Each structure stands twice: as C-alpha cells, then as structure tokens.
Amino acid sequence: MTAVTMEHSGSFVSQFEPLQNTITYRSSGELLIVGPEHRARLAAAELAGSLRCTLLITEAMPATLDAEMERAAGLEISAPLHHHKLQSISGYMGHFDATVSLPGGLTDNSLASLSQLKAFDLLLDLGSSAQMSSERAPAGYFYCPDQQSLERALEELPQLVGEFSKPVYLQVNSDICAHSNSNITGCTRCLDVCPADAIQSFSGRIEVDHHLCHGVGGCASACPTGAIEHLDTPPVQLLQQLREPLQQAVREQQPAVVVIEGTESSAVPTDNNHGLVRLELEEINCAGLETWLSALAWGARQVVIVAPNDYADTARSALNVQLGYGQALLKELGIDDSRIALIEHNDTQRLAELLASDDQPLSTAGYLPDSKRREALFQAIDQLATATEQAPRALAMPAGFPMGGLNIDGDNCTLCMSCAGVCPTMALQSGGDEPRLRFTQHNCVQCNLCVSACPEQVLELRGEYLLDRSLRKSQQTLHEDAPLCCTDCGTPFATQSLFRKMQSKLAGNHMFQGDNLNLLELCGECRVKALMKQDSELLP
C-alpha cells in the first residue's frame, strides 16, 4: 500500500493501515485553538467548515482595535470560547488537553472535560511563545507565532482527520539500564539528550512515550550499556552499511566518509573524485562515536558530519558531547582531532577543504563489527591504537566518557559492598568469602551509581581508556582488608577497617565501656550469648 506522508511542526506522520511495531494516532477533528482572541477568532473562522474548534483565549482584545482586530471582532464564531487562565498544555494527536484555572481559585481543571470531550485531537498555538517547549513538537501540535506559519497550518490541519501511524523507534532493555538502583539515580544520558521530552524516569525505570518520540537517535548513541536500541537503525546494521562501501573504496582510493541526513544530501557533491562514501541517515544522531571511529579504523582518512538546517539545540548538544569524546581520544592517540569534523549544512567551503585533504588513512583494517554498540567502540579504539603503535597506557578522557576507572580512598573504605550491590554492569563485585572489592574496567560505564551509594564517600570516577586490553578486561582488586574474626568462635564476620570505625564511633558511648567494648569483636551469635550471660549474672 502506498503511504501518504506529511511533515509538520517537526513531526513525521504516515497514513496507512496499522502495522506491527507502529504507533497509531486517531483524530476526529476536535481542534483546540490557544492564543490572543483576535488571532484565535480569525483562525476558527478559516477552519469552521472542516474542523470542530474550541477557543481558549489567553489575551483579550484591547479597547483600541487595529484593522485586523476589528475584522476578528465582527466575525460570528459558533465555536465554544473560554477565557480561563491557562496553566499548561500536554499530549499529542488525539490526546491533547489544557489544564486551566477557574474562578474561585479552582486549579488543575481539564478543559477537555469542561468541553465534554475525552481529549482534543489537534492543537493550534497562536501565542507569542510556545506553550509546549520541547524542541521536537508532538504530532498534531502547531505553533504559529507569525502569519506565514499560520497559513501553512491552516492548510495542513484539515488533512489531519482519520488514523495516522508511525514506527516505534526505540526499545528499552531495563535489565541492563544503568539509570537507577535501590532508589539511587545513576546515568541520565538519555534523559539529557531527548529533544522531544519523550523519555522519562518513572520509579527509577526509563520509559519512552512512543507517541512523542521522533527517533532522533541521540539517546541510543549516548546510552553506555545499549539499554536503548534504535530499532530503525540498529548499530550493527549501520556499521555494516558503512563498512561494505568503505572497504571497496579503500582498494582504489583514500576515501572520506560524510554522515548526512537525507534532506541535506544535496549539500554533498555526488562525484567520486575524492573517494567519497556517503552515509545518509534520517537522523545524524543515530551515528555516534562507534560509527565515526570505526570509519577511521576501516580506512576513512576523514569523517565529516553535516549538521542539518533545522538542527535542534538538544540534538546538537548531544552530538557535540560525542564529538568531544572522539576528538579527545584522537588527541590522546596522537592523531589530529580534525579527522572527525562537524560542519554546518551550508558551509560548502569547509566541506571542500576537508574533502580535498591529502591525509593518509590511519588504518585499513577489515574486521567485522561487534553486534553491540559498546563493543564495536572498543574494537575501533583498539584498532586505531594498534595502527598508531601506542604503548599500553591509560588515555585521559573527559568526565562523562562512558568508559573509565575508579579511585578509592582505601583508608576509609569499610568494604560494605554497597557499591557492588548497585553496579548494573558487574564492573564492581565482592570477593566472596574474602573482604575484597574487585573491579573490571572494561565493564564500567561511569554511571556514578557506586559513588552515590557509598556511605563513606570514598569513591571517585576516573575518566580514562586503558589501551591494555587484557588488563582492561581482567578483574583487579580495587581494595582489600584483613578479616575480623570472632574472638570466641573464630568465625570471620567483618573487616578490620569496619571494626576500627565502630570503635571510633562508639568510643564515648556509655554502653561500650570497659569489657563491653570487647563485644564488638564477637560475631552476632556469640555477642547474643555474651549478653545473655551478663544478664544472668545480674540476677539475684
């Protein structure tokens, strides 16, 4: 079946029969118009024959009217008109609502309910500032601060009656998510980069509102564990899509890779004089650090990322963070960090300069990418380190880099294992029967859960990348202590450091003076026996 596609307010909606893994919007034509009275009345008059309008007036017409206001005042509007104070707007196509205040201090009232509706299907925002602040607006929301945008909306709105569907872009695996554990918040990378406010934390679990999601992909690129996967562009599929033409180009030329959105493809020359490999995506944020470094490892002399014309600030910021990590890595490896460059869509001069560079490829490896994004990143970094003949060492990386080590203040660590208990990747583990904290740097995603969980505050994240693969993947002892054995039965039940800490804290407590202080050196069972013996001796 041929799909009818429409783009509006930054959203993408396709009209076709619902398929598996799709989100369906249903619109019966109930439109809420929010804004100054004269603009709302004029818009309602234009749409009266095609949509059922409800007006929420945020600004009444002044005493002195200009020509446009006089024309609006003279219109006979049959649509319901409300002057309630607007508190907020939420929702998406088929599920919009406005929360309003009523006279008498009654707050948090649903305008849809007051209008005897379940919800509004569409929303036309005519105010001077948008009522919905997300950079990627939900389907069915039109913000029109000027006449030009209003004219486009008036043309598109009548077409949005019926059923519309779009793909489910994301999948979340909560089992490997590093966001939260034991009511402690750790990683928030996906929350920080979503331009549509589609990702939220509910009771410590990351959840995606697929009705709001635009599939930008920055969340999947930023996720350090692979808990969020972009279904439309899985990392292994994207890497294979890049590897095949790049491997072919390497045989004949010294290729450059250009990552670009399909809408901006005209900005990149189509001739192949420079051995150009174009990676065209619906959203450039779907290609992250592992894609760029893999390209360099497979023979690209240059990776150029072309920012689209309407690049949202949040999406740009997310890509710049990834770019910062990539360039920091290249510098640490002694490679010119301009090998990965972000340029604007209209900066044709800079693009030409980068494509004309006579830099040689750093590596022409042919390995197959791992199916997991994080492991593919390890592969690429290790290959570039090998190609540049790096000695095994730790590369200093900026804070937030999703790989690194952990500093510990061993003098104050009691080996309580709170950190190991919340670690989502098993980077931290206890020593079993031995009072020992073990750490595997390869597994650490720098989520900060361990730091937040530590009651003694003795842990600190250390951004770095270990080039020694065997050391990185092996379990190291981060801290250990001698066991404290019960002075009665000999059973180990605590650590020496914990015993010293307890002695210090209870030094002034009247219940632990003299022989009672020795109770701390008994295990739980023997301590009970000793206390019972003391009680029996006190009996007459």
Side-chain angles (χ1 to χ4, degrees), residues 58-329:
T58 58
E59 183 182 332
M61 285 193 281
T64 304
L65 306 180
D66 59 23
E68 183 182 53
M69 293 177 180
E70 287 183 356
R71 183 164 67 88
L75 294 172
E76 291 188 10
I77 303 296
S78 59
L81 191 148
H82 301 274
H83 287 85
H84 309 308
K85 183 179 180 181
L86 176 63
Q87 293 178 249
S88 63
I89 286 175
S90 61
Y92 48 83
M93 182 188 291
H95 287 271
F96 284 112
D97 200 359
T99 302
V100 297
S101 299
L102 301 180
L106 299 175
T107 60
D108 302 326
N109 299 279
S110 163
L111 185 62
S113 297
L114 294 173
S115 304
Q116 298 184 332
L117 298 170
K118 290 184 177 180
F120 297 102
D121 299 312
L122 306 166
L123 203 151
L124 179 59
D125 184 354
L126 302 176
S128 56
S129 59
Q131 295 293 337
M132 303 192 80
S133 59
S134 57
E135 294 175 355
R136 292 290 185 101
Y141 174 78
F142 292 78
Y143 172 54
C144 305
D146 52 51
Q147 187 60 30
Q148 185 178 5
S149 58
L150 177 58
E151 289 175 0
R152 289 197 301 268
L154 293 176
E155 182 179 344
E156 293 179 35
L157 277 165
Q159 303 173 45
L160 297 181
V161 178
E163 289 194 359
F164 304 87
S165 297
K166 72 173 184 179
V168 172
Y169 294 112
L170 300 178
Q171 177 177 284
V172 181
N173 181 356
S174 298
D175 291 340
I176 60 173
C177 178
H179 170 59
S180 176
N181 198 339
S182 301
N183 294 320
I184 300 170
T185 299
C187 176
T188 60
R189 292 173 174 92
C190 60
L191 295 168
D192 298 336
V193 303
C194 180
D197 295 331
I199 303 176
Q200 300 292 330
S201 173
F202 292 101
S203 301
R205 286 172 61 92
I206 291 296
E207 295 186 9
V208 178
D209 188 333
H210 298 290
H211 291 91
L212 298 179
C213 177
H214 284 256
V216 173
C219 54
S221 295
C223 179
T225 65
I228 293 187
E229 181 182 356
H230 198 288
L231 298 175
D232 191 48
T233 316
V236 66
Q237 176 182 315
L238 179 60
L239 289 169
Q240 289 172 346
Q241 178 185 339
L242 170 65
R243 178 182 176 273
E244 292 175 9
L246 187 53
Q247 292 282 287
Q248 184 176 355
V250 165
R251 298 189 188 103
E252 303 171 357
Q253 296 171 306
Q254 297 170 356
V257 169
V258 176
V259 183
I260 193 168
E261 289 189 6
T263 54
E264 306 291 341
S265 58
S266 60
V268 180
T270 55
D271 67 86
N272 209 31
N273 295 334
H274 303 295
L276 189 65
V277 175
R278 297 156 59 104
L279 183 61
E280 291 190 18
L281 304 169
E282 285 194 19
E283 301 280 355
I284 62 170
N285 284 62
C286 290
L289 192 56
E290 76 291 336
T291 306
W292 312 332
L293 294 180
S294 294
L296 294 178
W298 287 329
R301 57 181 167 79
Q302 177 75 55
V303 176
V304 182
I305 307 148
V306 181
N309 181 35
D310 58 346
Y311 208 19
D313 289 343
T314 303
R316 181 186 290 273
S317 176
L319 190 138
N320 277 326
V321 169
Q322 294 280 308
L323 183 63
Y325 296 153
Q327 292 181 337
L329 265 169

Side-chain angles (χ1 to χ4, degrees), residues 337-352:
D337 64 2
S338 66
R339 292 272 189 159
I340 305 175
L342 173 65
I343 66 170
E344 299 304 312
H345 74 287
N346 56 357
D347 194 349
T348 55
Q349 180 178 347
R350 178 60 177 154
L351 177 61

Side-chain angles (χ1 to χ4, degrees), residues 293 296 325-339 359-362 381 384-391 393-397 467:
L293 294 180
L296 294 178
Y325 296 153
Q327 292 181 337
L329 265 169
L330 294 181
K331 282 183 179 179
E332 285 290 303
L333 291 170
I335 302 169
D336 185 353
D337 64 2
S338 66
R339 292 272 189 159
D359 288 336
Q360 299 297 307
L362 301 165
I381 299 173
L384 290 173
T386 299
T388 53
E389 301 180 346
Q390 298 291 320
R393 59 189 175 92
L395 307 180
M397 293 301 297
L467 293 179

